[in-house]
Amino acid sequence: IDWRRVERWIQSCGETHKTCIEDARRAPLNPLPGGFRVVDVLHRCIVRPPDLHFQYVALSYTWGRAPNLARHILTTSSMPHYMEHGSLHPLQMPATIEDAMQMCLNLGKRYLWVDRLCIMQDNIEDRESQIKGMATIFSRAAFTIVAAYGNGMDTSLPGVQARAFSTDCDDLGDLHIRTCLPTFDDTVRESVWATRGWTYQEALLSPKKLYISSAQAFWVCQSGMIPEDLIPDDSIERITCNELIAHKPYTEVLKIDSWNSDPFTPYTYHSRKYNQRVLTNASDIYDAFGGIMSALYPPVDPLDQTSTSLYNLPLHDFDAALLWSTGIDTQGARASDENTYIPSWSWSSVVGDF
C-alpha cells in the first residue's frame, strides 16, 4: 500500500468532505467508558488515554473459530506486565493485530484500540463496561481499520504484507493500461468479516473506515468510497467529493444524534440485518448488538450504566418491539446456554430473518 496516498485520503476527508465535516461537528463527544485503554504502538504496551482529546485508531477483525489463547490477550493478571514498555512482543502478537500496529506507524498514528488487548477478557465488570461503550469507542476513533480478509486473527493483512494480486500498468501509444482489481463487492462483501455479528455493529458505528481486502484498500467515509485503483496518477494530492464513489451500502453509518426523535425505525432495520449474521457464543446475541442499542437508545445521563433495553428490546418502545414475527428465511430457534437466557418473546430467540 502507498501509505502517502492513504494519508492524503484521510487528510482530504477531514478538509474537503462536507458531509464528514458537518457530521463530525454535530456529533456529541460522549465520554469513553471507565477503564478505557489503548495500545501504544510506539512503545508496544497498554496505556491509559493521555488526555481527553487524544486520537486513536480502532480495529475491526475476526477472532476465528479457534483463537490461539497463547497469543497476547489482556487479563487481570497480565495487565500490569502489558503496561510496561516493550511487553507486547511481536512474536506473540496475532498477525492481524501486529499488521494493524504497523499500519498505525506507517500512517503516523500512535494509539490503537483492539478488543483483545484493551478489554480484560476475564473481568466481567470491565467487559460489560467496555461493551456498553462500543458506540462511543468506534464513533470517536479517528478511523477504523477493517481486516476484511481471511478468517481469524492470525491472518496477515495484504498490502502490509505481500499481496496475492499483482498490479501493473503500461502505456501503448495514447492508451494507459492498468490492472483491473477486484471491487469492493467482490472482496469485502464476500469476506468472512462481512458475515460476523460483532463486525456488523463495528462497521455501523464507525464513521470512517479503511478496509483492507485481498487486492486493494478502500477508504469509506460518510461522503463515499475511494478504492486504491481509482486514480493511477500519484501526483493528485486531493480527492474531492465529486471523485468519490457514492453508494449507500458503503457509507451507511449509524449517526448517533440523528434518530433521537424516531429510533425505532432504524432499530427494526438493523436488528433484522444483524440477526442474519453468524455468532459464536449465545451471549453474543446481546453483547454484539449492545453498541447499536446504546447508540439508538442512550441513557439520559451519558454516565448512567443502566441498560435501556431488555433482551434486545428497547424499553422505550417495548410494546412495539414485541410485535415481531418469524419470516420466510427464519432458520430456527437460537439455543440458550448455561450463562445466557434467551426468552421466546424476543427476536433474539430465532436465527435469521424475522
Side-chain angles (χ1 to χ4, degrees), residues 103-209:
M103 286 179 64
C104 288
L105 291 173
N106 292 339
L107 295 171
K109 304 297 182 184
R110 181 170 176 175
Y111 301 108
L112 174 69
W113 185 91
V114 50
D115 56 0
R116 183 181 175 88
L117 294 174
C118 299
I119 300 176
M120 286 190 286
Q121 302 298 320
D122 62 343
N123 186 308
I124 296 176
E125 290 78 12
D126 186 72
R127 181 178 168 83
E128 289 182 349
S129 173
Q130 303 307 308
I131 287 175
K132 287 181 179 178
M134 287 291 183
T136 302
I137 291 172
F138 281 95
S139 64
R140 282 189 55 169
F143 60 90
T144 297
I145 297 171
V146 175
Y149 174 73
N151 183 15
M153 59 188 175
D154 286 314
T155 304
S156 297
L157 296 181
V160 182
Q161 305 300 330
R163 285 170 167 159
F165 286 87
S166 60
T167 58
D168 201 1
C169 60
D170 203 355
D171 292 311
L172 298 176
D174 294 333
L175 295 177
H176 183 77
I177 302 174
R178 59 189 174 90
T179 307
C180 257
L181 296 176
T183 65
F184 190 94
D185 287 332
D186 291 336
T187 52
V188 174
R189 295 192 186 286
E190 298 300 321
S191 67
V192 172
W193 175 90
T195 68
R196 306 297 296 175
W198 283 97
T199 60
Y200 181 81
Q201 85 166 0
E202 291 164 2
L204 198 63
L205 296 170
S206 303
K208 301 179 181 183
K209 296 173 279 288

Side-chain angles (χ1 to χ4, degrees), residues 1-10 99-100 102-104 106-107 145-146 156-163 165 167 181 210-219 226-229 234:
I1 296 174
D2 183 345
W3 301 108
R4 291 174 300 175
R5 172 178 285 186
V6 176
E7 283 185 313
R8 291 198 295 269
W9 295 348
I10 298 170
D99 285 352
Q102 185 59 50
M103 286 179 64
C104 288
N106 292 339
L107 295 171
I145 297 171
V146 175
S156 297
L157 296 181
V160 182
Q161 305 300 330
R163 285 170 167 159
F165 286 87
T167 58
L181 296 176
L210 180 60
Y211 286 86
I212 305 299
S213 74
S214 58
Q216 61 174 320
F218 303 88
W219 174 259
I226 308 169
E228 210 175 336
D229 65 350
D234 287 335

Side-chain angles (χ1 to χ4, degrees), residues 6 25 60 128 154 198 249 257 280 285 302-303 309 345:
V6 176
R25 188 180 298 121
S60 178
E128 289 182 349
D154 286 314
W198 283 97
D257 62 335
T280 302
I285 189 62
L303 298 177
S309 65
W345 44 260

